[in-house]
Amino acid sequence: MNITGQIIDETGMPLLGVNVLVEGTKRGAVSDFDGNYEIKASKGEVLVFSSLGFTTQSITISNNTTINVVLAQDSQELEQVVVIGYGTQRKIEVTGAVNSVSAEIISKAPVSDVAESLQGQIAGVNIQASNGRPGEEANIQIRGVGSLSPGSLGPLFVVDGIPFQGNPNIAPEQIESIDILKDGASAAVYGVRAANGVILITTKKGKQGQLKVDYSTYLAVQNITSGVPLMNTNQQLFSDQAVNDADGTVNNTFFLNPNALDFDSDFVGDVQNDNALIQNHNLNISGGVGDLSLNINGSYFDQEGVLINSGFNRLTTRITGQYTKERLKIFTSIGITDELRVQEPFALLEQAVAQRPFQPPISNIQPVNGVVQLGVGTGQPELLSFLTRLLNDEDERRIRSSNIAFSLDYEILKGLTYKVNLGRNNWNFRRNFLRPQYLLFNVQGNFVPGASREDAILQESFIFTQRNTIENSLSYNVDFGNHNLKLLALTSYEQFDSKNLSTGVIGLASNNTPVLGQGQEPINPTGFDITNKLSGLLGRVQYNFDDRYLLSASIRRDGSSNFPTSNRFKVFYGISAGWNVSEEPFFKNANLDFINNLKFRGSIAEVGNQTIAGTNPTPFIPTIESGVNFIFGEAENLAFGQIGRRLVDPNIQWETKISRNVGVDLSMFSNKLNFTADYYLNDRKDLLLEERLPPSTGTSAPRDQSFRSRVVNAGNLTNQGIEIALSYKDQTSYGLKWNIAGTFTRNVNEVTDLNGTSRGFSGGTPVFTVGNVDNTTFLAEGFEAGAFFLLQNEGVIQTEEELQAYQQIVPDARIGDIAYIDQLTVDTNGDGIPDTADGTINDDDRVYAGSGQADFEAGLSLNLEYKGFDFFIQNYFSYGAEVYNGARLSAYINGRHEEQFNQWTPQNPSSNIPARRAGNVSTASTRARSDFFLEDGSYWRIRNITLGYSIPKDALPNFFSSFRVYATSQNPFTFTEYTGFDPEIGGDGIFTRGVDQLTYPVSRRILFGVQLGF
């Protein structure tokens, strides 16, 4: 029979596009503009009414042929549980800046590091690949630069309630959700380590009911899609001849290599591994019976590197179990991970760029038992051996880690709960680094010592770490009338122990016996032990009146062994408040039913950072070190000696962040539209830095810079910014479900104090294989951390008149060189403002040239679902960052860049490409302090495109519950004016952020996958 009716909402408005389905069949209908529907069904069958933003309703058909339905708004969006520090809250109760990401979003990207999958998904969280090396962790910054030390930038990770020392590197498939605490008030409950934000990871748990088995797998290929343009053989010979002509020297290429024209080698291409594979397998078993639930997950990830001699694989298993019996709840999680990283040789791309194309390719030069006999065509064996020797190195790094979390909750009285939280994290690292014997003989059969490694070198390094955590807490939750009060009191203790050991041998019986026992000469072992202890007391009050007025206040006292007794303990506080305007009676009476929630939030807090760069766990204590032996007694015997060579500041203390935040949350149209905006201002003071000591302190040592600095509190900085997140989800009358989400972040970072230093603490060296390379980035008052300060170029000197004028400043300048501006650096009238140039070009002429930090960044994603098909596309846009193109600089230094084919010569006098010089590494045109190699690093990247299809359940065999196939392209398109490998340069987050050191490039990936449910 025909069933008809009208579907309306609670206000009486007709609902368009409501799906009406006869349960268990394919028969369905959709309501029209007036909410009317018509469908064929029989008595006893069940009609299911569903629409996005409304609660699904099921009605069994009786004798009536007219069924009218009122759908209630689904409040699930506001009732969603959000994980916060030491507890959970309903979304409507949250007063801090907290963002949640579900497993569905995390699983979209085929990556080993879960952070990569979050890029552009969360406003205020900047995620950049530090490089594209397999298994490498992404660079994460929450609300800007968190410190002035690269080792102190990352957030605190907490997995199932247990803090980690760093990134826990959990397989994405094992994660149920990620909650990010961005503002200080939310993070203040973690006190000393919360200055850079907190990332809370909740792993998957078993669910009550029938045993469920899920298996997923994918296979991907990777490729490098960009690079640095280099000259071919003909261009190289022409360019080399121009250098000889300018210097009046003879070109000896064909004397050294008579067969130079027989080759046109691509060494950069030779060290790349085209179509490198990724494979991933994941098995998840979940179920629960009675009071016990269990989840078991096993995951295997294997990635070949897009550069040869590199790769990463990881095997990880996690078991979580939960037992609930009346007032008792016990939870445990055990994760075991085994990783193997094979790392490419040091500066591999830089060495490849340096090679001349008229040399024979790498495939022609293969050692046999460590001996290489060069064939005809190799003119300069030393240059080529720098690369070919590296390719025989073996650098394997194995990590075995385990993490255990255990918690017990017992409700002593109604609302009063005791909880104990125990955790242990073990992380064990072993590096095996073999540089085999490499004996090279030239075409004449003569041994070439400068191109050889006469003795193999084997080094092994070990790190053993363990972190133990114990927390005890009492919480009380009580309702009285419209009031809700939650109280928390907690004590915590953590101890982190680390043991480091390194040893090795020089000379092996054979390259085929790379074990320490086969060594000929030992390398002195080195080692040190580290212990860090943390203790904390926490109190928190959360108050909720009728879901209208919300208040949260916490105070935490922390102590750390990293600091002297006088500064060991400090109190951190956090206060946040919220006002749900939409819950007010006057708002509900204003007939604004299209607004589901309108909330204003505000917070202020003080949080700390105890992380200190370097390996010394107690930098406030002068240490005595070995290795300085001395002559003793009349017999002049050599005695074991120790000495104190480090100066310390005995009064160092915490880094402190004062965080302020105001925000607004808005949900409209049955929670289809969600909008969040935040403004924050974070002041950071007493930042820990390594202060360079003057030579007069006596701590300088030849070829050893480790004693020339001390850790001090020497910096302040600010971060202020805005964050906007907007999303809308709906479905059409013909069944298309769609969801679009966007984020916008702007952060302004400024160093405000460096303890009297206006500019110093430099870094950002763009190349490694040449000596005396200038730094490019600095800490400077009034500018971003790690800002570029470079000489400003005026272009190429093209005429004799220009040359004569410039030689007044640089007497040895030559026509064809780059000219630099002699900045105003001398104060002649005593007003404190430079008004005159000093007549020379030096580091005082460096000027601010931007930084690797973007002016703003944005993300945009679209998700579509229609009749089993799903489509997802994610975009990421970064604007305003500068990138120092070290790849271009390296190619210029080695005379290999394609632009140099069009260099300035007397025959090409209008060229804006500087003339090459013999020994040009030391010339002004190819020094790293030049802004000639600085480029706009803005880019728009399509991060992910996925198309999938889920086979209908009734078309599957009975033992399948789901079957989905999909194809994904990651990083398929990047739109940028940057001319290097890739504009996404995270680096160390400060000094090398935006410095392209021929970094391992980010690759494009295309994959095919299958997801099965049983």
Side-chain angles (χ1 to χ4, degrees), residues 171 173-174 204 212-217 280-286 295-300 315-319 1010 1012-1014:
E173 293 87 357
Q174 296 179 353
K204 292 181 177 178
K212 192 174 187 303
V213 179
D214 294 293
Y215 172 75
S216 62
T217 183
N280 186 75
H281 304 273
N282 181 71
L283 179 65
N284 197 85
I285 302 173
S286 175
N295 192 89
I296 303 173
N297 183 279
S299 178
Y300 177 72
L315 176 64
T316 180
T317 302
R318 181 171 292 275
I319 302 173
V1010 177
L1012 305 175
F1014 301 93

Side-chain angles (χ1 to χ4, degrees), residues 633-690:
E634 294 182 0
E636 296 187 347
N637 295 319
L638 186 64
F640 177 75
Q642 293 178 299
I643 191 173
R645 293 186 291 185
R646 300 180 190 270
L647 296 182
V648 300
D649 178 1
N651 298 309
I652 62 171
Q653 59 182 327
W654 314 88
E655 295 183 351
T656 303
K657 178 180 82 171
I658 301 174
S659 167
R660 306 167 188 88
N661 186 91
V662 292
V664 58
D665 300 324
L666 176 65
S667 297
M668 302 173 65
F669 311 122
S670 302
N671 295 311
K672 294 177 182 179
L673 184 145
N674 289 278
F675 170 80
T676 297
D678 283 272
Y679 168 78
Y680 61 87
L681 174 62
N682 296 332
D683 291 320
R684 299 176 185 246
K685 61 182 182 179
D686 299 325
L687 299 180
L688 295 163
L689 283 172
E690 290 200 28

Side-chain angles (χ1 to χ4, degrees), residues 264-572:
D264 192 6
S265 301
D266 176 14
F267 289 94
V268 174
D270 287 346
V271 300
Q272 295 180 7
N273 182 22
D274 294 328
N275 299 317
L277 294 179
I278 300 176
Q279 60 173 316
N280 186 75
H281 304 273
N282 181 71
L283 179 65
N284 197 85
I285 302 173
S286 175
V289 177
D291 302 320
L292 180 66
S293 62
L294 195 67
N295 192 89
I296 303 173
N297 183 279
S299 178
Y300 177 72
F301 180 89
D302 183 48
Q303 179 180 3
E304 295 179 358
V306 290
L307 296 183
I308 60 177
N309 294 2
S310 67
F312 170 77
N313 65 63
R314 176 180 61 204
L315 176 64
T316 180
T317 302
R318 181 171 292 275
I319 302 173
T320 58
Q322 185 165 294
Y323 174 78
T324 305
K325 185 72 172 179
E326 298 177 348
R327 295 183 176 186
L328 176 67
K329 183 170 71 174
I330 299 175
F331 169 80
T332 186
S333 173
I334 302 173
I336 301 173
T337 300
D338 193 332
E339 301 177 9
L340 176 63
R341 304 177 188 224
V342 179
Q343 189 152 312
E344 80 286 354
F346 175 74
L348 177 61
L349 283 174
E350 201 172 319
Q351 292 284 11
V353 164
Q355 304 304 315
R356 293 295 191 261
F358 44 73
Q359 297 276 69
I362 293 172
S363 57
N364 286 21
I365 306 170
Q366 298 296 330
V368 178
N369 296 324
V371 177
V372 179
Q373 181 68 51
L374 290 182
V376 176
T378 307
Q380 295 174 293
E382 288 86 355
L383 177 63
L384 191 54
S385 76
F386 291 154
L387 176 62
T388 56
R389 270 187 301 176
L390 288 175
L391 297 179
N392 291 280
D393 293 352
E394 298 176 12
D395 191 354
E396 293 186 349
R397 306 168 186 216
R398 182 172 293 278
I399 297 172
R400 289 188 171 95
S401 63
S402 64
N403 51 84
I404 301 171
F406 173 85
S407 66
L408 182 149
D409 296 61
Y410 183 72
E411 190 176 16
I412 303 170
L413 300 171
K414 184 179 180 180
L416 179 64
T417 302
Y418 166 74
K419 181 175 183 178
V420 61
N421 215 23
L422 305 174
R424 169 171 288 181
N425 304 323
N426 287 295
W427 188 87
N428 298 326
F429 169 88
R430 174 186 177 182
R431 181 188 183 191
N432 191 297
F433 185 26
L434 172 66
R435 285 168 284 178
Q437 184 184 55
Y438 185 92
L439 305 178
L440 189 140
F441 295 83
N442 61 21
V443 177
Q444 292 76 30
N446 299 321
F447 177 62
V448 186
S452 302
R453 183 187 296 118
E454 297 188 47
D455 292 304
I457 303 173
L458 174 63
Q459 292 176 284
E460 293 192 10
S461 303
F462 303 87
I463 303 175
F464 307 99
T465 73
Q466 184 177 101
R467 173 177 285 276
N468 293 306
T469 303
I470 179 169
E471 296 173 338
N472 290 274
S473 66
L474 276 175
S475 61
Y476 184 61
N477 185 357
V478 61
D479 292 306
F480 46 99
N482 292 329
H483 306 271
N484 173 261
L485 184 66
K486 296 178 182 177
L487 305 176
L488 173 69
L490 177 140
T491 67
S492 69
Y493 177 81
E494 297 178 41
Q495 180 168 323
F496 173 75
D497 297 293
S498 176
K499 185 177 186 64
N500 296 256
L501 173 66
S502 180
T503 187
V505 293
I506 299 174
L508 293 171
S510 164
N511 285 341
N512 297 319
T513 58
V515 292
L516 295 175
Q518 293 292 310
Q520 299 174 9
E521 177 186 343
I523 298 174
N524 286 335
T526 60
F528 53 88
D529 294 351
I530 294 175
T531 295
N532 170 239
K533 297 179 181 180
L534 284 171
S535 64
L537 298 173
L538 168 68
R540 181 173 66 189
V541 178
Q542 294 171 299
Y543 172 72
N544 176 349
F545 174 71
D546 198 25
D547 281 344
R548 285 188 279 166
Y549 309 121
L550 313 166
L551 177 68
S552 178
S554 68
I555 186 167
R556 176 162 180 151
R557 185 175 188 264
D558 272 336
S560 171
S561 62
N562 281 359
F563 301 98
T565 305
S566 58
N567 292 327
R568 183 157 295 174
F569 293 91
K570 189 166 184 178
V571 175
F572 302 96

Side-chain angles (χ1 to χ4, degrees), residues 809-848:
I809 303 172
V810 183
D812 60 349
R814 296 168 58 179
I815 194 168
D817 287 349
I818 291 178
Y820 296 97
I821 297 176
D822 185 12
Q823 305 289 342
L824 304 180
T825 57
V826 179
D827 176 19
T828 59
N829 55 20
D831 62 358
I833 302 175
D835 51 32
T836 305
D838 63 0
T840 186
I841 299 296
N842 54 34
D843 277 358
D844 290 336
D845 295 299
R846 290 179 183 254
V847 294
Y848 171 72

Side-chain angles (χ1 to χ4, degrees), residues 213-225:
V213 179
D214 294 293
Y215 172 75
S216 62
T217 183
Y218 62 77
L219 182 69
V221 293
Q222 315 163 84
N223 282 290
I224 298 173
T225 57

